Amino acid sequence: MGEGWQSIPGSVAAPQGFRAAGIAAGLKPSGGLDLALIVSEDEAIAAGVFTTNQVRAACVTYGQERLAANPRARAILCNAGQANACTGEDGDRDNRAIADLAAKALDIDSDLVLTASTGVIGQRFDVDKFAKAMPELAELTTTFAPNESAEIASKAILTTDLVEKSIAVEMAIAGHPVRIGGIAKGSGMIHPNMATMLAFVTCDARVSPDLWQAMTTRAADVSFNQITVDGDTSTNDMLLTLANGRSAAPEIAADSPETEQLQAGLNQVCIHLAKAIARDGEGATKLLEIQVNGTATDADARHLARVVASSPLVKTAVYGCDPNWGRLAAAVGKAGVEFDQTKLDIALGHFELMKAGTPLAFDRPAAAAYMKASDTISVAIALHQGSGSGLAWGCDLSYDYVRINAEYTT
Amino acid sequence: MGEGWQSIPGSVAAPQGFRAAGIAAGLKPSGGLDLALIVSEDEAIAAGVFTTNQVRAACVTYGQERLAANPRARAILCNAGQANACTGEDGDRDNRAIADLAAKALDIDSDLVLTASTGVIGQRFDVDKFAKAMPELAELTTTFAPNESAEIASKAILTTDLVEKSIAVEMAIAGHPVRIGGIAKGSGMIHPNMATMLAFVTCDARVSPDLWQAMTTRAADVSFNQITVDGDTSTNDMLLTLANGRSAAPEIAADSPETEQLQAGLNQVCIHLAKAIARDGEGATKLLEIQVNGTATDADARHLARVVASSPLVKTAVYGCDPNWGRLAAAVGKAGVEFDQTKLDIALGHFELMKAGTPLAFDRPAAAAYMKASDTISVAIALHQGSGSGLAWGCDLSYDYVRINAEYTT
């Protein structure tokens, strides 16, 4: 997957015709960068995947309505500090106001500005601070070198994240370079169905709105919807993708080999960002990668992988570097997918722990040493019921997860 | 619920014709009581609810088959230390062997012995240790005072539990005293659908097998299936209930007022044990009680309550004594039940936190003080979509949960 796509610098500003910047607008009580802007010089085809939470932030409802009305955008404005969720009609008005401010600073139609917010639920943001920062922020997208400005943007969307998440890739399609870039933030409330995470992807391919939305949904299904930190789904999650057609490659036609190439690149970008979010989960010390094979369907495999990656007993065992196949077996069993327990195989890295439902004798100290030494803990589960397969990513559950979330101030 | 049922001493030995005992058989590596026996002097009607995990211990498969063949029993034998799950055909043979040993010691048909195991998955137990301990264990059920022996039994089924869980109640039905007693163990892998928990209930009412199974299932649905510690479901969970008909009360007929009375008592016993398990969840410092009202159905309300009680972000907020209505709102929203977020009310104890989807100004220090001072944290959620209601119980997520589960040796 993603074969042929090469890593390049530049993040969301790498695709042609995209710019980005970040600024400290005074929104975060802790200070620092807290407002990011991504700009497409041309009208871009826009697609989105939004939280399934019944309690939705103003920016979520707004983005869904905007894309339904016209799947095109010129800019994405994202703030950290206040989630602007559970803020009622005031929150809707505030959200519209900051979209207007960005449109004015960029001299574009305000219907072409998408918004995203992250931070404390129930808190409104101070629109005046946006008004004050916006002209400079818009200016910054043109004055910095693209690489630097995109890096600043990737920092400005973070909350409790420890590291920024960013990527760009390039490949020739029909003889012309096509580029995809992305930035994302985690790191708590991460769970399937677009939990508290924001991801913004830019691309210079030319593609129809319907195809771009379908490709975006498909990419989200194998990436962001397959990561879990704590099983909590947030009110603000969204993936927004822009494709501005600036590449000289011809329009990508549905069901063509080029669609598959572009899909592979989009998947690669989204999986990279998703894994980075899981690895940076609150309190995480390790990335947990669960591969499930041999289910009736891919959807079953993805579901099983997610359930195992979500299990607190599996997560604490990983934190404790304990090759605890019993907790893995129990987690597979509880997922609601029927299987024959006498066919269950479980491996941890290159250690086979269980074969045909029976625990194997394995070198326990060596397996524990593998866990201690590895940043990524790989678990492979085979059910031998069919040809379905799927991957999910999570992280361990540490003292720090409890500390961060017991002490986080509301 | 349960009105008229009075608390009495004696636990599972309180109903007429029941005896119990516990012994240190050397099964637990840490030593101490680890083998319990409950005996009915007469053949009792037996019912059970078993784990839904696809990976099942030998005792689970055995119990299901036994009750399907003949819903009657004379004894329940329960060991702590080894779960005897993922032990293949050897495990099945071992399980059958200990049932035979108990039958021999009690001089009864071995088909009338039910078994239960708790402890480390994948480990077989040493049948010889059962053989050695069994005659004395059977003898102990007759030599001790019922209260003392039942207390010892309630201790012998524990693993990482900190306290024993036990109750007995009495009420006159049709003018004659009827008694119900119960013991249970937790405390990790606790989640809806009979997670790692064992509960044994005795009763001296006279009741048909079908009615008793239906009443047992109903009681489990509002009690054990409504508690959660960590979302993990175990391979060994079971609730076994015995009704031996020793009470002078006439047989309980289906759909009679007496059924409702007995059901209320059975619910009361099961809810008491379930709450005790949640309160004693691994690392728990507080019991969390979630009441949901105003859903379309009771099942929706129970589901929503469970999801909120399971949320790690809610659980860490309770540990941090943080009146974090935002996390409560987000947890309600993620449960997959559709509702109008502008009608959502949330209260914490007597503090109203959210009304009609909008956060209220409340006395935050007082609410935090309530949380700090209370052993039980009560959350009330109203959706105003219908007349459904339900309760669920959980506990907070503390550093100790991580410590216990990262350090537990497999």
Side-chain angles (χ1 to χ4, degrees):
Chain A
M1 190 160 61
E3 204 188 328
W5 289 89
Q6 301 299 322
S7 200
I8 56 169
S11 179
V12 283
Q16 297 171 69
F18 283 101
R19 298 180 271 126
I23 198 169
L27 295 164
K28 264 192 208 163
S30 57
L33 295 164
D34 51 18
L35 190 60
L37 184 63
I38 299 170
V39 181
S40 174
E41 289 164 4
D42 302 304
E43 209 168 277
I45 300 303
V49 179
F50 298 88
T51 183
T52 58
N53 200 305
Q54 291 288 307
V55 179
R56 292 185 193 92
C59 55
V60 171
T61 314
Y62 174 78
Q64 287 173 317
E65 288 172 1
R66 280 285 310 109
L67 293 184
N70 179 22
R72 287 169 185 82
R74 283 284 311 272
I76 298 170
L77 178 69
C78 175
N79 75 284
Q82 296 80 32
N84 196 26
C86 300
T87 46
E89 289 173 15
D90 290 335
D92 292 332
R93 260 193 303 274
D94 291 345
N95 182 72
R96 185 79 215 187
I98 62 167
D100 288 344
L101 286 167
K104 197 177 151 206
L106 295 167
D107 194 20
I108 60 173
D109 182 348
S110 80
D111 278 352
L112 294 174
V113 178
L114 296 168
T115 57
S117 299
T118 177
V120 181
I121 301 178
Q123 288 194 3
R124 293 170 63 184
F125 41 60
D126 182 348
V127 174
D128 288 344
K129 291 183 176 170
F130 285 76
K132 221 166 141 190
M134 205 64 80
E136 190 184 346
L137 180 60
E139 179 68 21
L140 284 171
T141 64
T142 60
T143 51
F144 266 104
N147 287 6
E148 284 176 54
S149 65
E151 197 190 323
I152 294 169
S154 76
K155 284 186 174 136
I157 64 173
L158 306 181
T159 54
T160 54
D161 304 63
L162 298 179
V163 297
E164 61 267 27
K165 292 105 186 159
S166 144
I167 185 178
V169 295
E170 180 183 89
M171 181 180 174
I173 294 189
H176 299 278
V178 170
R179 294 172 173 179
I180 311 175
I183 60 175
K185 64 101 28 198
S187 62
M189 266 202 193
I190 305 295
H191 196 65
N193 300 318
M194 305 301 294
T196 299
M197 53 134 284
L198 301 175
F200 309 120
V201 172
T202 57
C203 178
D204 52 18
R206 202 175 317 151
V207 58
S208 74
D210 286 354
L211 181 58
W212 188 237
Q213 177 64 56
M215 293 177 77
T216 297
T217 301
R218 233 173 277 143
D221 279 346
V222 297
S223 60
F224 301 112
N225 284 342
Q226 286 300 105
I227 60 173
T228 171
V229 167
D230 56 16
D232 270 303
T233 307
S234 121
T235 52
N236 286 52
D237 306 331
M238 61 173 81
L239 160 66
L240 295 175
T241 61
L242 304 181
N244 69 0
R246 269 281 188 103
S247 162
E251 177 162 343
I252 307 289
D255 300 321
S256 65
E258 289 74 26
T259 309
E260 278 179 42
Q261 290 177 313
L262 187 62
Q263 182 78 58
L266 189 59
N267 289 359
Q268 185 177 324
V269 165
C270 290
I271 288 174
H272 172 91
L273 294 173
K275 286 171 70 172
I277 290 171
R279 176 61 188 83
D280 193 25
E282 285 172 349
T285 73
K286 290 174 191 307
L287 178 71
L288 180 57
E289 178 167 274
I290 311 288
Q291 167 88 53
V292 173
N293 290 315
T295 49
T297 65
D298 287 349
D300 275 356
R302 288 203 299 264
H303 172 66
L304 275 175
R306 273 201 312 258
V307 169
V308 175
S310 308
S311 157
L313 289 173
V314 169
K315 289 155 65 71
T316 46
V318 171
Y319 179 59
C321 294
D322 176 10
N324 193 322
W325 58 266
R327 293 188 190 173
L328 290 166
V332 181
K334 75 168 177 173
V337 174
E338 283 193 30
F339 62 89
D340 178 354
Q341 69 167 304
T342 67
K343 291 187 174 168
L344 177 63
D345 298 343
I346 298 177
L348 172 78
H350 60 284
F351 297 92
E352 284 195 276
L353 307 186
M354 174 175 262
K355 190 86 192 165
T358 304
L360 300 176
F362 64 96
D363 185 343
R364 183 173 294 273
Y370 153 75
M371 296 179 80
K372 208 159 270 178
S374 306
D375 186 72
T376 299
I377 305 296
S378 300
V379 172
I381 293 160
L383 277 76
H384 304 287
Q385 315 277 307
S387 61
S389 70
L391 276 165
W393 299 273
C395 60
D396 52 347
L397 173 56
S398 71
Y399 294 115
D400 266 2
Y401 177 84
V402 177
R403 185 186 54 72
I404 292 164
N405 284 297
E407 292 180 2
Y408 189 79
T409 309
T410 53
Chain B
M1 191 160 59
E3 203 188 329
W5 288 89
Q6 301 298 322
S7 201
I8 55 170
S11 179
V12 283
Q16 297 171 70
F18 283 100
R19 298 179 272 126
I23 198 168
L27 296 164
K28 264 192 209 162
S30 58
L33 295 165
D34 52 16
L35 190 60
L37 184 64
I38 300 170
V39 181
S40 173
E41 288 164 3
D42 304 302
E43 209 170 277
I45 299 304
V49 178
F50 298 88
T51 183
T52 59
N53 201 304
Q54 290 288 308
V55 179
R56 293 185 193 91
C59 55
V60 170
T61 314
Y62 174 78
Q64 287 174 316
E65 288 171 0
R66 279 286 311 106
L67 294 184
N70 179 22
R72 286 170 184 82
R74 283 285 310 271
I76 298 169
L77 178 69
C78 175
N79 76 283
Q82 296 81 32
N84 196 25
C86 299
T87 45
E89 288 174 14
D90 290 335
D92 291 333
R93 261 192 303 276
D94 292 345
N95 181 72
R96 185 78 214 187
I98 62 166
D100 288 344
L101 286 168
K104 196 177 149 206
L106 293 167
D107 194 21
I108 60 175
D109 182 347
S110 80
D111 278 352
L112 294 175
V113 178
L114 296 168
T115 57
S117 299
T118 177
V120 181
I121 301 178
Q123 289 193 2
R124 293 172 63 186
F125 41 60
D126 182 349
V127 175
D128 287 344
K129 290 184 175 170
F130 285 78
K132 221 168 140 187
M134 203 65 79
E136 190 184 346
L137 180 59
E139 178 69 20
L140 283 171
T141 64
T142 60
T143 52
F144 266 104
N147 287 7
E148 283 175 53
S149 65
E151 196 190 325
I152 294 169
S154 74
K155 284 186 172 135
I157 63 173
L158 306 182
T159 54
T160 55
D161 305 63
L162 299 179
V163 297
E164 61 266 28
K165 292 104 186 159
S166 145
I167 184 178
V169 296
E170 181 183 87
M171 180 179 173
I173 295 189
H176 299 278
V178 171
R179 292 172 175 182
I180 311 175
I183 61 176
K185 63 97 35 193
S187 65
M189 267 201 191
I190 304 296
H191 195 65
N193 301 318
M194 305 301 295
T196 299
M197 54 135 283
L198 300 174
F200 309 120
V201 172
T202 57
C203 177
D204 52 18
R206 202 176 317 152
V207 59
S208 75
D210 286 354
L211 181 57
W212 188 236
Q213 179 63 57
M215 293 177 77
T216 297
T217 302
R218 232 173 277 144
D221 279 346
V222 297
S223 60
F224 301 112
N225 283 343
Q226 287 300 106
I227 59 174
T228 173
V229 166
D230 56 15
D232 271 302
T233 307
S234 122
T235 52
N236 287 51
D237 306 331
M238 62 173 80
L239 161 65
L240 295 175
T241 61
L242 305 180
N244 69 359
R246 269 282 187 103
S247 162
E251 177 161 342
I252 306 289
D255 301 322
S256 65
E258 289 74 27
T259 310
E260 278 178 43
Q261 288 177 315
L262 187 62
Q263 183 77 59
L266 189 59
N267 289 358
Q268 185 177 325
V269 165
C270 291
I271 287 174
H272 172 92
L273 295 173
K275 287 171 69 171
I277 290 171
R279 176 62 187 85
D280 194 24
E282 285 173 348
T285 73
K286 290 175 191 306
L287 178 70
L288 179 57
E289 178 167 273
I290 310 289
Q291 166 87 54
V292 173
N293 289 315
T295 48
T297 66
D298 287 350
D300 275 357
R302 287 203 300 264
H303 172 66
L304 275 174
R306 274 201 312 258
V307 169
V308 174
S310 306
S311 158
L313 289 174
V314 168
K315 290 156 64 73
T316 46
V318 170
Y319 178 58
C321 295
D322 175 10
N324 193 322
W325 58 265
R327 293 187 189 173
L328 291 166
V332 180
K334 77 168 176 172
V337 174
E338 284 194 31
F339 62 89
D340 178 354
Q341 68 168 302
T342 67
K343 289 187 175 168
L344 178 63
D345 299 342
I346 298 176
L348 172 78
H350 59 284
F351 297 91
E352 285 195 276
L353 307 186
M354 175 176 261
K355 191 83 193 168
T358 305
L360 300 176
F362 65 95
D363 185 343
R364 184 173 294 272
Y370 153 75
M371 295 179 80
K372 208 158 269 177
S374 305
D375 186 71
T376 299
I377 305 296
S378 299
V379 172
I381 293 160
L383 276 77
H384 304 286
Q385 316 274 307
S387 60
S389 70
L391 274 165
W393 298 272
C395 60
D396 52 348
L397 173 56
S398 72
Y399 294 115
D400 266 3
Y401 177 83
V402 177
R403 186 186 54 73
I404 292 163
N405 284 296
E407 291 179 3
Y408 188 77
T409 309
T410 54

